[in-house]
Amino acid sequence: MELKKSKNRFEDVYDYLVHRIQRGEWKRDEKLPSVRELATTLNMHRLTVLKAYQRLKAENKVYVREKSGYFVHPGNASTFEQVDRPIITSYIQRSHLSEIHEIPATYQFSKALIDPNLLPNLYLAEYVKKVLDLYPKVLGTYSNVQGDEELRETLALFFRKQDNLFIQVNELLITSGAQQAISMIAQAFIKPRDTILMEQPTYSAAIDIFQHQGATILPVEITEEGYDLEQIEEYMKTYKPRLFYCNPTFQNPTGYTIPTSQRKKLVELAEEYHCLLLEDDPFHDIYFDQKPPRSMFTYDTGGHVIYIRSYSKYIAPGLRIAVVACRDSLMKLLITAKSMQDNGSPLLNQKMFLHYFTSERLQQHLDKLRIALKIRKEIMEEELKYSGWKWVSPQGGLNLWMELPSEISGEELLAASIPDSISFVPGNICDPMKGNLNKVRLSFSFINERELIKGTKRLMEIGNTLKKPTRA
Amino acid sequence: MELKKSKNRFEDVYDYLVHRIQRGEWKRDEKLPSVRELATTLNMHRLTVLKAYQRLKAENKVYVREKSGYFVHPGNASTFEQVDRPIITSYIQRSHLSEIHEIPATYQFSKALIDPNLLPNLYLAEYVKKVLDLYPKVLGTYSNVQGDEELRETLALFFRKQDNLFIQVNELLITSGAQQAISMIAQAFIKPRDTILMEQPTYSAAIDIFQHQGATILPVEITEEGYDLEQIEEYMKTYKPRLFYCNPTFQNPTGYTIPTSQRKKLVELAEEYHCLLLEDDPFHDIYFDQKPPRSMFTYDTGGHVIYIRSYSKYIAPGLRIAVVACRDSLMKLLITAKSMQDNGSPLLNQKMFLHYFTSERLQQHLDKLRIALKIRKEIMEEELKYSGWKWVSPQGGLNLWMELPSEISGEELLAASIPDSISFVPGNICDPMKGNLNKVRLSFSFINERELIKGTKRLMEIGNTLKKPTRA
């Protein structure tokens, strides 16, 4: 992997070409402008343009035909041309994960969502009715950009009580889901060629978001023991990344949890090297035995951590509410970013959440949910015992991160499973470097026990058919 | 104004410096790196760097001290340094409009919002309760990314009945307010240095969004008669803009409406020059006498128009629902952009809207609302008759676009009005080129008749005090 500490002209040419190939300006196997032409158009030296083409070639984005120039590699051409192509094309590429999520599947292991049957729908529905009596004008009123003040007050109290998280009302901001928070932060802090750190593997939607912003991603391996902090320090020192997107608690997809000692040290490193820690914590309350370690945010005194805590996933996905916490100095920037993106989340949804946080029912619901999810996890693991596949049993979260035999790729297993109405996430989608080819993410949280057993059995059978040829 | 059809190296240096000055990397009156230093850091020729500095100087972003180099101009330094400065700074700049909106004011002429007392709060609150009985699992369920299918079906029928807008279910997408739609479209279609057209003046949040994406904005003047189509054609031919953001119906802030003949022609131009028309239509139903002309989108056969229609503003701002319509080929791109930004709007809010669209009450509400707003407009105009200020009486929308005597600037009038608890939007904020200095936008929709009269009287008095010195 090639990394630059400062901008280089040839990278501008490279970007120019990559964006326009993705946008479909040139189709598969179409000839690209010659080095001479492009040098004239862009007012650059020919050697600079040549260097960009050489990199594109090394990355298999273009190929060369003897004496006739550079052509778009079919594997890298815009996917839009296969469907009816719009007149004006977009820079955003369709994410592979979205495509997988759209596959209709009875055995739905791809969505890390909670079975709606495990959620307090009826109870909350009654609650909403009360909310509307309490706030008769809630539907006619905009929320302020940072989020409803009453909700933020309630959350500040709740965090203090539950998680020893001392935080002021003005240090919280409400977003429409954790993904909006990530997207908003990327927009505020990342410009093309800024370097960032990401776990390898990580949450694939976050990869898409940061890549779209043009970030140069440096992968930080996450293992059962945590991170290699020396490597992180080396990266911070050498490449001055603007942020480290991390998910240290029951990590998605691996399920690993970063130990307390590393959390403290990482906050110190962030302070020393002026790197933002973007701590995404969606599974904090989904632990099976022990509460997870305190969040990195609790060690942040200098204002280097932005903490994203999502609740809607395990309470009311239909409401789309997440909370972002950070120190006051950073908060000012986030409010501006939020005001640009949608000017504030809907007030009704915030008021509904508020009342659930002040009720006894929340803890009762979470206690039951943890047990139900633990049972599903154990059922799936029991089935997988005879698969020959390897995994580390997670202590929380919604996923098993499965290592297949080295000769089977996750994509191949998925392709073979779709006809049997099984879907899951191949490992390469979770890897910013597109590695982890023989891993898959299986979510155990969405389908019920009976289907979980049937689907897992069938998946293993399919895996075995893929293994045979190399055995023989 | 300088415009380039292709990228130039010196513009990259210029961007590099502008972003980092805005981010606060160098403070006001701080010395910037020398030409030699920066040329080494960026691996560029010194003349290229010099050219960038010269442009910054011409734009008053930096100034020169004899023999000691370039310094950050105080007027252009990051505003963050005045408050407690965060360790990691953001690229987003605080918008002046947000600051104005935060000024507490009894006479609130700045927010183009509708008085909550004119909205059907109680009726809708009852409605929500029914929605929850009808869809007991709505709180536990994610919407699909494009938006609830039942709502899109209902809207497709509604558009056909109300507006002769023939549209399929799959050509509609639901967003959390019109601003999210604009932000999402900017993210999908704009990369730094792409040229776009915008009306002059226009919706200031849209200026902020496109500027943050790095667009080069070409202003298109809007007058009572509409646009200068020859100029637009010339711009499209010469600069190949990716899109034209326009608000052709009761335009914000001017209130002008583009005539039908120009609408048709503009769609033809868009087709001919492959330019996207982003038609923002928030006031379509807020007309005072006559229905406005058909939207440009109704003339779009080739898939060149993206149409944003917002309802939440005059029905239920607390829900934050807008609809985006475009032909199928463009829709695929928008779905991807929406999935990146928040993965779908909250389902509850969509289901609530659905039921209001199928009810008789919507039309009854709109009929009453139009009358109430017309009365407020006329009351304010009656007061302003004796101001000596000039304006064109709008036939719809929520604003009066007021021309002050040439010696009074809108910013100056605002500064003088704040102590009297009056706020409004100075014209330069609505201008992508920061012109329109002696114009102001006065919204008549938010405060009641009595306050409208008192506030307007007081505002005129303040205006007169500003006029006197030059008269004498």
Side-chain angles (χ1 to χ4, degrees), chain A residues 139-140, chain B residues 114-122 313-317 365 369:
Chain A
L139 296 172
Chain B
I114 291 169
D115 183 351
N117 292 311
L118 298 178
L119 297 175
N121 298 301
L122 287 175
K313 199 166 209 166
Y314 43 86
I315 300 175
H365 162 60
L369 182 62

Side-chain angles (χ1 to χ4, degrees), chain A residues 6-9 12 16 19-20 23 41-45 80 83-95 98 102 113-114 116-117 119 121-122 124-126 128-129 132-133 136-142 176 179-180 183-184 187-192 194 203 208-209 212-214 242 271 274-276 302-304 312-313 315-320 328-330 332-333 335-337 339-349 352, chain B residues 6-9 12 16 19-20 23 41-45 80 83-95 98 102 113-114 116-117 119 121-122 124-126 128-130 132-133 136-142 176 179-180 183-184 187-192 194 208-209 212-214 242 271 274-276 302-304 312-313 315-320 328-330 332-333 335-337 339-349 352:
Chain A
S6 64
K7 296 190 181 207
N8 267 318
R9 278 170 291 167
D12 292 320
Y16 178 95
H19 286 146
R20 282 157 182 85
R23 205 163 97 183
T41 311
L42 298 180
N43 188 21
M44 294 218 178
H45 198 286
F80 302 128
V83 292
D84 47 337
R85 176 137 167 250
I87 311 299
I88 295 99
T89 49
S90 141
Y91 293 107
I92 292 188
Q93 288 237 277
R94 185 106 180 80
S95 90
S98 310
E102 278 164 17
L113 299 180
I114 290 168
N117 291 309
L119 297 174
N121 298 302
L122 287 175
L124 269 179
E126 287 309 309
V128 183
K129 298 176 187 173
L132 289 161
D133 291 333
K137 285 194 182 172
V138 67
L139 296 172
T141 314
Y142 281 99
S176 300
Q179 192 168 332
Q180 189 190 49
S183 152
M184 193 182 96
Q187 230 189 337
F189 290 98
I190 305 301
K191 286 269 178 209
D194 282 338
Y203 174 40
D208 292 343
I209 289 169
H212 178 72
Q213 283 298 113
R242 296 211 12 109
E271 279 185 23
H274 301 314
C275 176
L276 205 64
H304 292 77
S312 58
K313 200 166 207 162
I315 299 175
L319 293 180
R320 309 283 293 137
D328 207 33
S329 53
L330 280 172
K332 288 185 177 63
L333 310 179
I335 294 170
T336 306
S339 89
M340 197 173 281
Q341 201 158 58
D342 69 4
N343 223 5
S345 289
L347 188 59
L348 172 67
N349 308 45
M352 286 183 57
Chain B
S6 64
K7 295 193 180 203
N8 268 318
R9 277 169 291 169
D12 292 320
Y16 177 94
H19 286 147
R20 281 156 184 82
R23 206 164 96 183
T41 310
L42 298 181
N43 188 22
M44 295 217 177
H45 198 285
F80 302 127
V83 295
D84 47 337
R85 175 137 169 253
I87 312 300
I88 294 100
T89 48
S90 140
Y91 293 106
I92 290 188
Q93 286 237 278
R94 184 103 180 85
S95 92
S98 309
E102 278 164 17
L113 298 181
I114 291 169
N117 292 311
L119 297 175
N121 298 301
L122 287 175
L124 269 180
E126 288 308 309
V128 182
K129 299 176 186 172
K130 284 190 206 149
L132 290 161
D133 291 334
K137 285 192 183 173
V138 66
L139 296 171
T141 314
Y142 281 99
S176 300
Q179 192 168 333
Q180 188 189 48
S183 150
M184 192 182 96
Q187 229 189 340
F189 290 96
I190 305 302
K191 286 271 178 207
D194 281 336
D208 292 344
I209 289 169
H212 178 72
Q213 284 296 115
R242 301 225 349 122
E271 279 185 24
H274 300 314
C275 176
L276 207 63
H304 292 77
S312 57
K313 199 166 209 166
I315 300 175
L319 292 179
R320 310 280 294 133
D328 206 32
S329 53
L330 281 170
K332 289 185 177 63
L333 310 178
I335 294 171
T336 306
S339 90
M340 198 174 280
Q341 201 158 58
D342 70 4
N343 224 4
S345 290
L347 187 60
L348 172 67
N349 308 47
M352 285 183 56

